[in-house]
Amino acid sequence: TAPSAEMVRALTDAGLTAAVSSDAEDDAGSYLLYRVLSALSETLDTPSIGLLRAPADAPAGSVQRAVKAAAQAMARHLSPLPRSRAVA
């Protein structure tokens, strides 16, 4: 799953209120998250998956800052892809 503690720190540092929850909600987002997580194998190549929720009345600028902060936190945990070698 996604590095939730680091994502909360990044969101808080961006001036946003954030919390981590493992409680499922009865909505399409939670359903899709569960389906994706249950379909993935547990390997080193498995991507980080998470669900970021914003209040419906959140200003667009705040949501944009939140997505950027969360994505940057996740990106710090990505491994670089190996470069393909040219075939002679």
Side-chain angles (χ1 to χ4, degrees), residues 19-83:
V20 174
S21 174
S22 60
D23 295 336
E25 294 190 22
D26 191 19
D27 66 347
S30 293
Y31 173 77
L32 289 172
L33 177 65
Y34 170 77
R35 296 292 298 173
V36 168
L37 288 174
S38 64
L40 292 174
S41 60
E42 289 285 332
T43 68
L44 292 176
D45 295 330
T46 302
S48 293
I49 303 291
L51 177 63
L52 180 64
R53 295 182 187 274
D57 60 348
S62 295
V63 174
Q64 289 171 346
R65 285 196 335 266
V67 171
K68 184 175 180 178
Q72 288 173 336
M74 289 181 76
R76 287 190 284 274
H77 290 268
L78 296 176
S79 299
L81 294 173
R83 292 182 181 212

Side-chain angles (χ1 to χ4, degrees), residues 1-11 18-21 49 73-74 77:
T1 59
S4 54
E6 188 169 340
M7 290 170 68
V8 167
R9 268 193 307 280
L11 292 166
V20 174
S21 174
I49 303 291
M74 289 181 76
H77 290 268

